[in-house]
Structures are given as C-alpha cells and as structure tokens.
Amino acid sequence: RIRRYKWEVKYEYKSPDCYKKLSITINGRTPGPTILAQQGDTVIVELKNSLLTENVAIHWHGIRQIGTPWFDGTEGVTQCPILPGDTFVYQFVVDRAGTYLYHAHYGMQREAGLYGSIRVSLPDGESEPFAYDYDRSILLTDWYHKSAYEQATGLSSIPFVWVGEPQSILIQGRGRFDCSLPTIESGLCNATNPECSPYVLTVVPGKTYRLRIGSLTALSALSFEIEGHNMTIVEADGHNVEPVVVKNLFIYSGETYSVLITADQDPRRNYWASAKIVSRNGNTSNGLAIFNYYPNNPRRPPPTVPPTGPTWNDSASRLAQSQAINAHAGYVVPAPRTSDRVIVLLNTQNRINGYVRWSVNNVSFHLPHTPYLIALKENLKHVFEQTPPPNGYDFANYDIYNIAKNVNATSSNSIYRLQFNTTVDIILQNANTMNPNNSETHPWHLHGHDFWVLGYGTGKFDIYNDPKKYNLVNPIMKNTVAVQPYSWTALRFRADNPGVWAFHCHIESHFYMGMGVVFEEGIDKVGKLPTSIMGCGDTKRFLRP
Ligand SMILES: O=C1O[C@H]([C@@H](O)CO)C(O)=C1O
C-alpha cells in the first residue's frame, strides 16, 4: 500500500513553552504529523519548502532505506539540500514494524522544531509478543529560545559561545517556561497561551497503554516517568525486547522505546508524567504532562508535587538500565560470531585553530559541499579528501581521564570505505573533555543499519579481554546507543546496505562541531541516482542537458 503525505514546511511563531519563538512547522504544527504505516508500505512524502530563504532536508530515522539510499535525507551525505520554493518527493519502504522518527538533517535546523514520529504497524494478522489496549506516541524534545542560527554562530566563533542548557523540556511539543522571570521582554511570554497547556494523556482505568516514546532532544539525556506507575519496556528502536519493568526510563536523543503502562492506580485523580534532564547539571525545569484518568477533568492538576526524578550524575544506574535490556527470546537476530574489521572511535573535545570542536581519533568531521553518495557513484574524487580516517588511536598513551596533553586536532571530510557484506565492530571510547573532571554522554546514531549492542563498560576498553565478555546470546539491535562518561560501548553491524551512511553523535551541536564519521559500502551496487537529489556543488553538471 502507498501512504502519501503532502507537507508544507515553513516558519511560524509558536509558543510551545509559552515563550513566542520562530519555529519550523509542518502543515502548521511542531512536532509534525505522525506518519502511520504498515510494514511493507511505501511512504511518499511530498515536501514543499516554504522557508523562503532557507534550505531543508529530512532524515527518516531508523528506516534503513534498503534500495533507496538517496532518500535517507542527510544533507551533504545522501542529497543536496532542498531549495526554498522547491518540492522534493521522498519515497521509501517501511520494511519493519516499530517506532521510528523523522527530523531535519541540515545544519542545526532540527531544533527549530522540524521533527515528528513514525509508527509502523505489523502486517494484518500478526501480533507483538505483548498485549495492550491502546497505542500512543509521544516525542520528547528540549527547547531553546535562541534561534538555531544564533546557536550555530556561537559554536563556530572565537570566543566560543556555548548554547548552554535548554530553556524547557517539551513533551509532545508542550512545555512551560516561567513567564514571570523579570528578564523576559513584555509580550513574549504568555502563561495562559493554550499552545503551552500541558500535554494530556487520557487513560481509561484498568486499560493497558503502549506508549511509544521517542527522544529528539538537541542536547539533553532524559529520565521519563509517570508518577506512581511502573512501565514495562517492550521495544527499543524497532526491536522487541525481553520485558523490563522500570520506574523511570532513561532515553537519549535518537532513541525510541515502547513501554506498557496499565492504568491501575487510584482513578479518582490525575498523575504527573515528568521528563528530567540527566547527565548534565543544569537548572532546566522538568518537562511535565498530565496522565489523566478518564473521566476526571483533563486540566485538573494532580494533587501531588511532581516526581523529582533520579540524580543527574548517576551514570551507573543509566548504564545498568541499558545493560538490563536484551533481545526478546522469540526475536533474537543472531549476531555474527566474529567481525572482519574493528574500528575504535575515541571521542574527544578539541581545538582547531582556536575553535572548539569534537573529534573521533583526533579528526573532526566536516561535510563536503558535494554529497558523498553522488561523488562516489559518479567518481568525483576531488570533492572530498581521499585518505581514509584513522582506524583507532594510541591506546597505550592516551589518558582518557584527563584533558589531552595536546588538545589540537585536525579537520577532515574523508570517510571509511567498508568492504561490502563484511562484519564491522565499532568501539566507542569516551574520554575527558577540555574541562577538568568532565566527560559527557554521547548518543551515537547509525544511518542505514541496525547494529547489535555487544557490550558496555566503564574505563578504557581492553582490546584483549573485553571482547570475551560480549553478549552474543541475545544482544539487542538498535540504531542509536549511548556511550557514558569515561566509558565504552561496543557494537557490530553488517555492511550490507549499498550506500553512504552517516554515523554520528545525535547531539545537534556536537555533530555540528565535527562529532561524526561516514561509512561507504557497496557503492557499485547502488542503483541509478534520482536527479532530484542533485543541484549543489559539483553535481550541477549532471543536470545539464
Ligand atoms: O560541546 C560542548 O561544549 C560545552 C563545554 O564543554 C564548553 O566548555 C559542553 O558542555 C558541550 O557539550
């Protein structure tokens, strides 16, 4: 079946946290419409760029784009950006049921509000290994009052201007900034604006809800909970997992989970749903929504104070939750026992010519002006650096616990060329930033594939002993995984999807500052590229008659 969407993308004033800000909307909304489809359907999105003076590109996060690598929506990697006034048609198959996302993948445009959810249901007659009465989707985001341009300019200036902590956390596009602060210009913040009334999830007492939770925060790692209710994690990034009961769900930017919640508490009142920032010590208020028991008034605030959530710096409990999630016994996709290639990616914060950057293996990534997919397919060797980036770093001499002895890095747009149909292991190794006693959490997202999460550990990865502890029995498959402060995460994937694929930190500012790599595999097997992805850089030549 074909699912056809017509979207108009434009700027509008919105007040998602009561503070009026220019936001990017799809058909007048942020988050945009949820894409609903069934496994095997073809989704067609006809996107009209009405941003007037700004390009756009949309990534279908978690959709592997098998056979359509040119519709991955990654500016600079798989396509030229869509010009103002142009209409671009994305067309791809959603080949697997599950919970996915979509969002802008161009500069720091995502955090202007250009995002939404994708829900793919099973074919008729098939069912999940868990039961529920109703299915709901919510998106968690963080929200800044400064424009993406102002933020991006600060990040690429000397002196460096850090974007800082977000002003609000939004649950399904709704949050609450404190309009009474004396610093706010009058007329900009209106606490009674209905756009910022809390999101309400209405439940019928006794029923079980499948809540699909996605995070597309720009920066924040979150802990989500519903006061007084346990949640059972049953799906992660489109894969069924063995049920895990939690009080709060840790979720990183780019991840999706389904949790089951039964409305089994006192039905005479409402409850708070709360999203709290973890892993960074800021003073952003928790994002709040109302878990409303029918038939109570959905606007009636719960009689209790909202839950405060876990302490921000308890990375051990975050790691423990990640480690507790395994593939569902009936849905284990066996991981290859061995790999053909191991790539170690040391994550560091660096300086290049005085600019603050992030790097892997001391190389900070920047995008070329001519997208790789077109450059490689058409053999345009001059448009990016051909020497491959390093396969690892100097294990013996690098101290992950301290600021690097030499914080200077280099910048490159070279890529990893993977042999088609081989198995690749990636070790993400985290380290100290340029601030003393500081290491951050980075959620890494792989385009075009799911990977097996083989293991996590604290400290420096031990190349001889840690692989012996890999979970090869029931590892989960994901497309996004976090690496915790001073820790490592090991993953494995099959390079079996012809195309060119980004792998990067999903923190918007970090990828902007160079925290990513690109993989190519099977370029000779990629079909004829549509000319709609061309028009920038050296691709103009293919559009001439
Ligand atoms: O990229 C970043 O820069 C700041 C800080 O390190 C600047 O000093 C921060 O917290 C980041 O995540």
Side-chain angles (χ1 to χ4, degrees):
R1 262 194 307 178
I2 291 183
R3 307 276 175 164
R4 195 181 287 275
Y5 291 85
K6 258 186 166 154
W7 286 359
E8 185 179 18
V9 173
K10 63 177 184 197
Y11 272 105
E12 286 181 65
Y13 281 115
K14 290 283 172 191
S15 304
D17 66 347
C18 306
Y19 182 94
K20 190 159 89 177
K21 187 201 160 185
L22 271 183
S23 312
I24 302 183
T25 60
I26 299 173
N27 298 345
R29 293 158 52 186
T30 170
T34 297
I35 292 183
L36 297 172
Q38 200 170 16
Q39 184 173 306
D41 287 352
T42 296
V43 172
I44 301 178
V45 178
E46 226 177 90
L47 187 153
K48 180 170 195 310
N49 178 4
S50 294
L51 295 174
L52 295 182
T53 60
E54 183 174 334
N55 299 331
V56 71
I58 301 222
H59 170 56
W60 315 95
H61 182 116
I63 309 298
R64 291 168 297 171
Q65 301 291 357
I66 295 166
T68 51
W70 45 78
F71 287 140
D72 189 48
T74 313
E75 187 275 329
V77 179
T78 63
Q79 73 166 98
C80 292
I82 307 163
L83 297 177
D86 279 0
T87 295
F88 185 94
V89 183
Y90 286 102
Q91 176 166 346
F92 52 89
V93 174
V94 287
D95 61 328
R96 218 186 26 207
T99 309
Y100 308 102
L101 303 162
Y102 66 81
H103 58 81
H105 212 299
Y106 184 40
M108 288 178 62
Q109 195 173 53
R110 183 178 93 210
E111 62 182 75
L114 188 40
Y115 37 57
S117 306
I118 303 176
R119 189 198 296 178
V120 183
S121 57
L122 281 168
D124 291 340
E126 287 185 34
S127 57
E128 281 96 1
F130 46 89
Y132 52 93
D133 301 299
Y134 299 100
D135 200 339
R136 301 277 184 270
S137 301
I138 56 165
L139 197 57
L140 308 179
T141 52
D142 48 13
W143 192 249
Y144 288 89
H145 292 169
K146 281 199 172 130
S147 75
Y149 286 110
E150 201 169 346
Q151 295 183 43
T153 303
L155 299 175
S156 45
S157 293
I158 297 176
F160 179 68
V161 183
W162 172 237
V163 298
E165 297 301 312
Q167 276 63 59
S168 302
I169 297 297
L170 310 183
I171 299 181
Q172 194 54 22
R174 287 158 180 278
R176 180 150 287 257
F177 188 69
D178 181 0
C179 290
S180 67
L181 292 176
T183 48
I184 303 172
E185 215 180 298
S186 79
L188 272 185
C189 202
N190 172 7
T192 61
N193 187 331
E195 281 178 30
C196 59
S197 66
Y199 177 73
V200 177
L201 185 71
T202 298
V203 296
V204 174
K207 298 292 185 194
T208 296
Y209 290 78
R210 174 184 190 168
L211 188 58
R212 300 172 186 255
I213 308 170
S215 171
L216 284 175
T217 52
L219 175 69
S220 314
L222 298 174
S223 165
F224 177 81
E225 67 185 291
I226 295 174
E227 188 189 8
H229 293 73
N230 281 333
M231 301 185 283
T232 307
I233 303 170
V234 291
E235 181 219 339
D237 291 5
H239 293 273
N240 296 326
V241 302
E242 275 299 316
V244 180
V245 178
V246 295
K247 189 174 140 306
N248 64 296
L249 174 77
F250 293 112
I251 182 167
Y252 306 93
S253 182
E255 287 191 313
T256 67
Y257 290 94
S258 285
V259 297
L260 301 181
I261 305 161
T262 301
D264 56 5
Q265 298 300 305
D266 180 356
R268 291 168 301 178
R269 52 162 290 194
N270 293 336
Y271 297 82
W272 293 110
S274 169
K276 177 203 164 115
I277 296 181
V278 290
S279 134
R280 301 184 67 98
N281 189 12
N283 54 9
T284 310
S285 308
N286 295 354
L288 295 175
I290 294 179
F291 195 68
N292 162 237
Y293 273 64
Y294 182 84
N296 298 330
N297 185 335
R299 301 267 165 253
R300 197 207 303 162
T304 40
V305 290
T308 50
T311 47
W312 71 271
N313 57 355
D314 181 6
S315 59
S317 69
R318 302 204 304 272
L319 195 63
Q321 185 171 102
S322 297
Q323 284 172 323
I325 303 174
N326 293 307
H328 190 284
Y331 296 81
V332 176
V333 183
R337 311 297 299 174
T338 57
S339 69
D340 301 299
R341 179 172 179 186
V342 180
I343 302 174
V344 180
L345 301 177
L346 174 71
N347 293 206
T348 55
Q349 194 186 36
N350 300 82
R351 217 176 279 287
I352 300 180
N353 300 327
Y355 293 96
V356 175
R357 302 282 299 175
W358 288 86
S359 315
V360 287
N361 299 336
N362 253 17
V363 178
S364 187
F365 177 76
H366 65 264
L367 285 161
H369 190 47
T370 301
Y372 294 108
L373 182 63
I374 309 163
L376 287 163
K377 178 83 174 139
E378 306 294 348
N379 217 13
L380 310 176
K381 287 211 165 69
H382 58 285
V383 299
F384 67 93
E385 293 160 60
Q386 297 294 306
T387 315
N391 225 44
Y393 72 103
D394 180 5
F395 257 97
N397 295 310
Y398 195 93
D399 175 5
I400 65 159
Y401 293 104
N402 285 295
I403 300 173
K405 287 186 209 102
N406 175 2
V407 295
N408 292 320
T410 56
S411 175
S412 174
N413 60 11
S414 67
I415 65 170
Y416 293 89
R417 313 284 303 255
L418 306 177
Q419 200 140 33
F420 187 64
N421 259 334
T422 56
T423 301
V424 180
D425 281 5
I426 303 287
I427 317 297
L428 295 165
Q429 175 67 60
N430 210 345
N432 205 100
T433 64
M434 288 196 291
N435 301 313
N437 301 314
N438 176 247
S439 179
E440 300 188 4
T441 303
H442 303 284
W444 279 78
H445 171 60
L446 178 59
H447 292 221
H449 310 75
D450 292 331
F451 47 75
W452 291 272
V453 182
L454 300 183
Y456 304 87
T458 48
K460 203 192 259 192
F461 181 73
D462 175 340
I463 208 140
Y464 301 103
N465 294 307
D466 285 327
K468 294 178 193 152
K469 296 179 241 160
Y470 283 168
N471 175 8
L472 293 169
V473 177
N474 57 356
I476 48 167
M477 293 199 85
K478 300 194 89 237
N479 60 60
T480 306
V481 73
V483 55
Q484 299 293 343
Y486 304 112
S487 296
W488 57 266
T489 300
L491 48 104
R492 177 169 290 177
F493 69 94
R494 295 275 306 151
D496 57 2
N497 190 7
V500 188
W501 308 106
F503 180 50
H504 61 92
C505 177
H506 212 263
I507 291 175
E508 186 95 313
S509 54
H510 288 183
F511 182 49
Y512 185 77
M513 290 191 278
M515 200 171 199
V517 298
V518 167
F519 299 123
E520 171 275 332
E521 72 219 34
I523 191 71
D524 49 312
K525 291 171 185 64
V526 170
K528 188 170 162 23
L529 302 179
T531 53
S532 63
I533 64 168
M534 302 178 189
C536 59
D538 243 18
T539 70
K540 290 193 192 84
R541 63 170 87 193
F542 303 113
L543 300 179
R544 288 189 203 114

